[in-house]
Amino acid sequence: GQQLNQSPQSMFIQEGEDVSMNCTSSSIFNTWLWYKQDPGEGPVLLIALYKAGELTSNGRLTAQFGTTRKDSFLNISASIPSDVGIYFCAGLTDSWGKLQFGAGTQVVVTP
Amino acid sequence: DADVTQTPRNRITKTGKRIMLECSQTKGHDRMYWYRQDPGLGLRLIYYSFDVKDINKGEISDGYSVSRQAQAKFSLSLESAIPNQTALYFCATRGDSSYEQYFGPGTRLTVT
């Protein structure tokens, strides 16, 4: 089956720093989605990417759809305490809309 | 009010018991999904449904069953719960015009 690797597994950063994480796959995806999960809550959609090479921003978040269509990147600029959570990438596996999720990147922001 | 709701939010049950987790949505979406989340494993698809007459198995359907009672309701059942089904369970919905899925708040299930 398809393998989707997300890294890093966790990050401990100081408030104000930038954060970068990525997902890579052994297979091509046509859509990449990035989600954030707060403790005790369900994942919330942050950014959707539909085209290879696409760069999309949502406030301090910027995500890119890799040109090979096998990877995607998420950057958070000038982190703040509420950025704490687990960030998941998800790739669209087929036309039925099934998603393959990465294992998540846990972000901890210290003052 | 939340667009996707799940009940119960927390449940502790014993091995061998039957349990049902419920999901309701007000988004008007036809497509609904059930996922399981385990630490370090991300979310894995259990079942999905594209309308009330369409049910499909996902990656890890063994030990689970579902019922799509209406467009807005999709239930997940564990016929005979076992301890390794202890996990967070999430329901999600999707509209026809995009692949973006929207998640409920989750149910934390513990099987003792």
Side-chain angles (χ1 to χ4, degrees), chain A residues 52-78:
Chain A
E54 180 182 355
L55 188 71
T56 297
S57 293
N58 178 5
R60 294 178 296 105
L61 277 63
T62 302
Q64 184 164 21
F65 194 144
T67 54
T68 65
R69 295 165 62 193
K70 293 183 178 182
D71 54 9
S72 182
F73 309 87
L74 177 70
N75 296 310
I76 307 172
S77 63

Side-chain angles (χ1 to χ4, degrees), chain B residues 30-97:
Chain B
D30 285 327
R31 291 159 170 77
M32 298 186 73
Y33 303 79
W34 274 104
Y35 289 91
R36 167 179 172 157
Q37 184 179 30
D38 297 279
L41 291 181
L43 287 90
R44 293 181 292 167
L45 183 63
I46 307 172
Y47 271 95
Y48 60 105
S49 168
F50 285 174
D51 63 40
V52 293
K53 298 179 182 178
D54 178 80
I55 302 289
N56 304 280
K57 291 183 177 181
E59 180 186 352
I60 54 164
S61 60
D62 288 348
Y64 302 95
S65 62
V66 291
S67 172
R68 186 79 184 268
Q69 302 95 321
Q71 186 208 35
K73 296 183 182 297
F74 192 33
S75 301
L76 176 72
S77 293
L78 286 67
E79 298 301 326
S80 180
I82 56 177
N84 77 0
Q85 291 178 312
T86 293
L88 272 170
Y89 290 86
F90 289 101
C91 172
T93 74
R94 175 171 79 88
D96 295 341
S97 59

Side-chain angles (χ1 to χ4, degrees), chain A:
Chain A
Q2 292 170 317
Q3 296 290 325
L4 205 164
N5 298 306
Q6 184 171 352
S7 65
Q9 186 175 3
S10 61
M11 306 182 72
F12 293 81
I13 58 173
Q14 286 196 317
E15 187 175 352
E17 289 184 344
D18 296 344
V19 175
S20 292
M21 61 193 79
N22 70 84
C23 280
T24 59
S25 171
S26 58
S27 303
I28 288 173
F29 288 121
N30 291 319
T31 295
W32 284 95
L33 305 176
W34 283 93
Y35 287 86
K36 182 193 177 195
Q37 184 179 24
D38 290 328
E41 300 295 330
V44 173
L45 183 65
L46 298 174
I47 293 178
L49 301 162
Y50 293 102
K51 190 176 176 182
E54 180 182 355
L55 188 71
T56 297
S57 293
N58 178 5
R60 294 178 296 105
L61 277 63
T62 302
Q64 184 164 21
F65 194 144
T67 54
T68 65
R69 295 165 62 193
K70 293 183 178 182
D71 54 9
S72 182
F73 309 87
L74 177 70
N75 296 310
I76 307 172
S77 63
S79 58
I80 59 178
S82 63
D83 290 333
V84 166
I86 303 176
Y87 292 78
F88 292 99
C89 63
L92 182 69
T93 63
D94 59 28
S95 60
W96 296 101
K98 289 187 289 184
L99 297 176
Q100 174 107 26
F101 282 83
T105 295
Q106 178 145 26
V107 173
V108 177
V109 180
T110 58

